[in-house]
Amino acid sequence: MKKIYLLPFLLLCSMATFAQIVNIESLRMNAKDKKLSGIVDLDFAIRKNKAGQTVVIGTDVGAQWNLGRKNRLIFLSGYHLTQFNDTDDPTAPSRNFNNQAFGHFRYNIDLSKTIALEAYSQAQWDEVQEIDIRFLNGAGLRFELLQNDTASFYFGLSYMLEYEETSERPEAITTNEHQRLSTYVSGQLGLNPFLNFNYVLYFQPRPAELEDFRISSNVGLSIRLSRKVNFTTSASLLFDSRPPSTVPKTQYFLSNGIRMDF
């Protein structure tokens, strides 16, 4: 089983399946031995948010360039549509929203066999979550805790600067600039040659105000249909201690889709 590495740097777009925390770990590619590799995800999700239970469709695209034996550059982006009734008029017909998009650049350099330095930038927006725009820039370390033919386990810790504009009301835009820590644990387990289990947990607190934090957890299963096509299913839970007043603190997502590798 090849080692899993992905990485951090900036652009634009946000992902309906993971709301305010973009789950980069779920998009990491296992192709350290290839010069260029990538993925395309097509998914359908049920999402619980401020509009109640909604339907989401979308796509995510990722590419990884191995610049050398120890250096990698990754680009990820996503675009999703959500259909639900207008919360101001629940009787109105359902309508589609281009509610989320994200872009993510990440650079990785191996410091040793088990430690990598990551630097990243990200941009996202999310109409449903009242995020007009959010920019992240950060850097940190990724530790390989376990790696063998059937399982891998990683821990990541980074420091990031966050700028966001939110609009709880159309006439009122709130600007926030924060420093955050971003930590995660992630793992994969190959149950057999056709079935792969994966898990990731994110925790993003503000060091100056620990009561302000976000937690995101995702559990997924991938079933190999062919050499380059997999069926994926996942469940996610997101908690934000201080979202905009119109957005619930806790949300969940149930997603099924197809992943194509190249």
Side-chain angles (χ1 to χ4, degrees), residues 31-37 64-68 71-73:
K32 190 178 179 182
D33 58 335
K34 295 175 62 176
K35 183 70 174 179
L36 175 64
S37 59
Q64 174 174 299
W65 288 270
N66 291 325
L67 305 176
N71 301 281
R72 285 166 295 282
L73 181 66

Side-chain angles (χ1 to χ4, degrees), residues 245-256:
S245 61
T246 57
V247 176
K249 290 185 176 182
T250 303
Q251 301 177 61
Y252 68 79
F253 315 91
L254 302 173
S255 176
N256 293 297

Side-chain angles (χ1 to χ4, degrees), residues 87-255:
T87 54
D88 296 327
D89 182 10
T91 62
S94 296
R95 54 181 182 171
N96 286 330
F97 288 83
N98 173 10
N99 73 303
Q100 290 192 353
F102 84 95
H104 184 97
F105 278 109
R106 182 172 295 237
Y107 175 74
N108 238 46
I109 180 169
D110 295 341
L111 303 180
S112 71
K113 291 185 65 175
T114 58
I115 302 174
L117 175 66
E118 301 186 309
Y120 56 91
S121 290
Q122 178 177 297
Q124 67 182 108
W125 71 85
D126 184 338
E127 292 178 352
V128 174
Q129 305 305 315
E130 313 293 359
I131 300 172
D132 292 339
I133 191 70
R134 175 185 286 159
F135 294 108
L136 303 177
N137 291 280
L141 295 173
R142 176 177 172 87
F143 301 88
E144 179 187 293
L145 305 181
L146 172 68
Q147 177 70 52
N148 58 40
D149 291 340
T150 59
S152 59
F153 190 60
Y154 294 89
F155 170 76
L157 173 64
S158 66
Y159 166 82
M160 65 186 188
L161 299 175
E162 174 185 84
Y163 171 85
E164 67 177 7
E165 295 179 0
T166 62
S167 54
E168 301 177 30
R169 300 184 306 277
E171 70 279 3
I173 296 178
T174 301
T175 300
N176 298 305
E177 295 184 55
H178 297 311
Q179 302 175 50
R180 287 189 184 273
L181 293 177
S182 180
T183 66
Y184 65 82
V185 291
S186 69
Q188 293 197 40
L189 175 63
L191 303 177
N192 61 49
F194 302 97
L195 197 61
N196 186 73
F197 171 82
N198 60 81
Y199 175 77
V200 60
L201 174 67
Y202 284 91
F203 178 55
Q204 295 182 343
R206 287 176 56 195
E209 197 167 349
L210 294 177
E211 297 84 0
D212 185 352
F213 63 90
R214 304 183 188 118
I215 297 176
S216 177
S217 177
N218 175 263
V219 177
L221 197 64
S222 176
I223 303 171
R224 181 172 295 278
L225 302 179
S226 70
R227 190 168 65 91
K228 293 184 177 294
V229 179
N230 295 274
F231 173 78
T232 60
T233 184
S234 65
S236 303
L237 182 68
L238 172 73
F239 178 83
D240 188 343
S241 66
R242 292 185 180 175
S245 61
T246 57
V247 176
K249 290 185 176 182
T250 303
Q251 301 177 61
Y252 68 79
F253 315 91
L254 302 173
S255 176

